[in-house]
mmCIF file of all heavy atoms in Angstrom:
data_model
loop_
_atom_site.group_PDB
_atom_site.id
_atom_site.type_symbol
_atom_site.label_atom_id
_atom_site.label_comp_id
_atom_site.label_asym_id
_atom_site.label_seq_id
_atom_site.Cartn_x
_atom_site.Cartn_y
_atom_site.Cartn_z
ATOM 1 N N GLU A 546 -12.296 46.610 -16.000
ATOM 2 C CA GLU A 546 -11.162 45.908 -16.603
ATOM 3 C C GLU A 546 -11.636 44.703 -17.407
ATOM 4 O O GLU A 546 -12.618 44.045 -17.069
ATOM 5 C CB GLU A 546 -10.166 45.473 -15.519
ATOM 6 C CG GLU A 546 -9.475 46.653 -14.859
ATOM 7 C CD GLU A 546 -8.435 46.201 -13.846
ATOM 8 O OE1 GLU A 546 -8.160 45.003 -13.790
ATOM 9 O OE2 GLU A 546 -7.924 47.057 -13.120
ATOM 10 N N ALA A 547 -10.898 44.388 -18.428
ATOM 11 C CA ALA A 547 -11.300 43.329 -19.357
ATOM 12 C C ALA A 547 -11.259 41.954 -18.714
ATOM 13 O O ALA A 547 -11.929 41.037 -19.155
ATOM 14 C CB ALA A 547 -10.401 43.359 -20.583
ATOM 15 N N LYS A 548 -10.450 41.794 -17.656
ATOM 16 C CA LYS A 548 -10.275 40.468 -17.079
ATOM 17 C C LYS A 548 -11.177 40.232 -15.870
ATOM 18 O O LYS A 548 -10.891 39.419 -15.020
ATOM 19 C CB LYS A 548 -8.810 40.252 -16.689
ATOM 20 C CG LYS A 548 -7.880 40.278 -17.902
ATOM 21 C CD LYS A 548 -6.489 39.834 -17.563
ATOM 22 C CE LYS A 548 -5.609 39.828 -18.815
ATOM 23 N NZ LYS A 548 -4.235 39.420 -18.543
ATOM 24 N N ASN A 549 -12.314 40.953 -15.827
ATOM 25 C CA ASN A 549 -13.245 40.795 -14.707
ATOM 26 C C ASN A 549 -13.802 39.386 -14.602
ATOM 27 O O ASN A 549 -14.099 38.909 -13.515
ATOM 28 C CB ASN A 549 -14.411 41.781 -14.844
ATOM 29 C CG ASN A 549 -14.000 43.171 -14.396
ATOM 30 O OD1 ASN A 549 -12.822 43.407 -14.132
ATOM 31 N ND2 ASN A 549 -14.948 44.075 -14.317
ATOM 32 N N THR A 550 -13.966 38.740 -15.732
ATOM 33 C CA THR A 550 -14.547 37.380 -15.726
ATOM 34 C C THR A 550 -13.732 36.459 -14.829
ATOM 35 O O THR A 550 -14.283 35.792 -13.939
ATOM 36 C CB THR A 550 -14.582 36.815 -17.152
ATOM 37 O OG1 THR A 550 -15.373 37.677 -17.952
ATOM 38 C CG2 THR A 550 -15.167 35.416 -17.163
ATOM 39 N N GLN A 551 -12.423 36.431 -15.020
ATOM 40 C CA GLN A 551 -11.568 35.551 -14.218
ATOM 41 C C GLN A 551 -11.589 35.941 -12.753
ATOM 42 O O GLN A 551 -11.561 35.092 -11.867
ATOM 43 C CB GLN A 551 -10.134 35.567 -14.763
ATOM 44 C CG GLN A 551 -9.227 34.526 -14.135
ATOM 45 C CD GLN A 551 -9.798 33.116 -14.172
ATOM 46 O OE1 GLN A 551 -10.229 32.642 -15.217
ATOM 47 N NE2 GLN A 551 -9.853 32.447 -13.025
ATOM 48 N N ASP A 552 -11.649 37.268 -12.490
ATOM 49 C CA ASP A 552 -11.694 37.728 -11.091
ATOM 50 C C ASP A 552 -12.970 37.248 -10.408
ATOM 51 O O ASP A 552 -12.953 36.816 -9.250
ATOM 52 C CB ASP A 552 -11.612 39.257 -11.037
ATOM 53 C CG ASP A 552 -10.234 39.756 -11.450
ATOM 54 O OD1 ASP A 552 -9.286 38.946 -11.401
ATOM 55 O OD2 ASP A 552 -10.107 40.935 -11.822
ATOM 56 N N MET A 553 -14.079 37.334 -11.127
ATOM 57 C CA MET A 553 -15.353 36.878 -10.548
ATOM 58 C C MET A 553 -15.327 35.379 -10.276
ATOM 59 O O MET A 553 -15.801 34.899 -9.244
ATOM 60 C CB MET A 553 -16.506 37.202 -11.506
ATOM 61 C CG MET A 553 -16.851 38.679 -11.581
ATOM 62 S SD MET A 553 -18.211 38.931 -12.718
ATOM 63 C CE MET A 553 -18.454 40.689 -12.530
ATOM 64 N N ILE A 554 -14.760 34.651 -11.230
ATOM 65 C CA ILE A 554 -14.660 33.194 -11.047
ATOM 66 C C ILE A 554 -13.818 32.878 -9.811
ATOM 67 O O ILE A 554 -14.154 31.983 -9.016
ATOM 68 C CB ILE A 554 -14.066 32.540 -12.312
ATOM 69 C CG1 ILE A 554 -15.067 32.634 -13.460
ATOM 70 C CG2 ILE A 554 -13.693 31.081 -12.058
ATOM 71 C CD1 ILE A 554 -14.510 32.217 -14.802
ATOM 72 N N SER A 555 -12.735 33.627 -9.603
ATOM 73 C CA SER A 555 -11.863 33.401 -8.438
ATOM 74 C C SER A 555 -12.620 33.619 -7.134
ATOM 75 O O SER A 555 -12.495 32.844 -6.183
ATOM 76 C CB SER A 555 -10.652 34.335 -8.496
ATOM 77 O OG SER A 555 -9.887 34.068 -9.639
ATOM 78 N N VAL A 556 -13.428 34.692 -7.075
ATOM 79 C CA VAL A 556 -14.210 34.954 -5.854
ATOM 80 C C VAL A 556 -15.209 33.817 -5.630
ATOM 81 O O VAL A 556 -15.387 33.339 -4.504
ATOM 82 C CB VAL A 556 -14.952 36.306 -5.942
ATOM 83 C CG1 VAL A 556 -15.752 36.556 -4.660
ATOM 84 C CG2 VAL A 556 -13.982 37.448 -6.164
ATOM 85 N N CYS A 557 -15.852 33.375 -6.705
ATOM 86 C CA CYS A 557 -16.833 32.281 -6.578
ATOM 87 C C CYS A 557 -16.161 30.992 -6.102
ATOM 88 O O CYS A 557 -16.734 30.254 -5.288
ATOM 89 C CB CYS A 557 -17.538 32.046 -7.912
ATOM 90 S SG CYS A 557 -18.666 33.380 -8.355
ATOM 91 N N GLN A 558 -14.961 30.721 -6.586
ATOM 92 C CA GLN A 558 -14.228 29.523 -6.137
ATOM 93 C C GLN A 558 -13.924 29.604 -4.643
ATOM 94 O O GLN A 558 -14.011 28.605 -3.921
ATOM 95 C CB GLN A 558 -12.949 29.366 -6.951
ATOM 96 C CG GLN A 558 -13.202 28.902 -8.383
ATOM 97 C CD GLN A 558 -11.968 28.991 -9.265
ATOM 98 O OE1 GLN A 558 -10.994 29.683 -8.931
ATOM 99 N NE2 GLN A 558 -11.996 28.320 -10.402
ATOM 100 N N SER A 559 -13.565 30.801 -4.172
ATOM 101 C CA SER A 559 -13.308 30.979 -2.733
ATOM 102 C C SER A 559 -14.583 30.807 -1.932
ATOM 103 O O SER A 559 -14.603 30.173 -0.875
ATOM 104 C CB SER A 559 -12.694 32.360 -2.479
ATOM 105 O OG SER A 559 -11.386 32.410 -2.990
ATOM 106 N N LEU A 560 -15.681 31.379 -2.424
ATOM 107 C CA LEU A 560 -16.970 31.217 -1.731
ATOM 108 C C LEU A 560 -17.378 29.743 -1.694
ATOM 109 O O LEU A 560 -17.935 29.271 -0.689
ATOM 110 C CB LEU A 560 -18.042 32.044 -2.444
ATOM 111 C CG LEU A 560 -17.989 33.559 -2.213
ATOM 112 C CD1 LEU A 560 -18.902 34.277 -3.193
ATOM 113 C CD2 LEU A 560 -18.366 33.925 -0.772
ATOM 114 N N HIS A 561 -17.100 29.028 -2.779
ATOM 115 C CA HIS A 561 -17.431 27.596 -2.820
ATOM 116 C C HIS A 561 -16.656 26.836 -1.742
ATOM 117 O O HIS A 561 -17.210 25.992 -1.031
ATOM 118 C CB HIS A 561 -17.105 27.034 -4.204
ATOM 119 C CG HIS A 561 -17.438 25.589 -4.340
ATOM 120 N ND1 HIS A 561 -16.582 24.661 -4.879
ATOM 121 C CD2 HIS A 561 -18.549 24.886 -3.974
ATOM 122 C CE1 HIS A 561 -17.152 23.467 -4.857
ATOM 123 N NE2 HIS A 561 -18.332 23.565 -4.320
ATOM 124 N N ARG A 562 -15.374 27.158 -1.590
ATOM 125 C CA ARG A 562 -14.572 26.490 -0.557
ATOM 126 C C ARG A 562 -15.132 26.780 0.833
ATOM 127 O O ARG A 562 -15.231 25.875 1.672
ATOM 128 C CB ARG A 562 -13.112 26.943 -0.655
ATOM 129 C CG ARG A 562 -12.229 26.316 0.403
ATOM 130 C CD ARG A 562 -10.762 26.571 0.152
ATOM 131 N NE ARG A 562 -9.946 25.947 1.187
ATOM 132 C CZ ARG A 562 -8.626 25.905 1.179
ATOM 133 N NH1 ARG A 562 -7.945 26.435 0.175
ATOM 134 N NH2 ARG A 562 -7.954 25.309 2.145
ATOM 135 N N VAL A 563 -15.519 28.033 1.069
ATOM 136 C CA VAL A 563 -16.100 28.389 2.381
ATOM 137 C C VAL A 563 -17.394 27.603 2.600
ATOM 138 O O VAL A 563 -17.637 27.075 3.691
ATOM 139 C CB VAL A 563 -16.359 29.903 2.467
ATOM 140 C CG1 VAL A 563 -17.001 30.256 3.811
ATOM 141 C CG2 VAL A 563 -15.070 30.691 2.293
ATOM 142 N N ALA A 564 -18.207 27.512 1.551
ATOM 143 C CA ALA A 564 -19.480 26.784 1.672
ATOM 144 C C ALA A 564 -19.249 25.327 2.059
ATOM 145 O O ALA A 564 -19.935 24.785 2.940
ATOM 146 C CB ALA A 564 -20.240 26.860 0.345
ATOM 147 N N LEU A 565 -18.272 24.691 1.430
ATOM 148 C CA LEU A 565 -17.965 23.290 1.753
ATOM 149 C C LEU A 565 -17.498 23.147 3.197
ATOM 150 O O LEU A 565 -17.844 22.183 3.889
ATOM 151 C CB LEU A 565 -16.895 22.754 0.799
ATOM 152 C CG LEU A 565 -17.308 22.620 -0.681
ATOM 153 C CD1 LEU A 565 -16.111 22.220 -1.533
ATOM 154 C CD2 LEU A 565 -18.426 21.602 -0.840
#
Side-chain angles (χ1 to χ4, degrees):
E546 293 183 8
K548 296 190 178 179
N549 281 8
T550 300
Q551 189 52 50
D552 291 340
M553 288 180 177
I554 291 171
S555 298
V556 180
C557 290
Q558 287 169 343
S559 290
L560 285 168
H561 181 227
R562 179 170 180 174
V563 178
L565 293 174

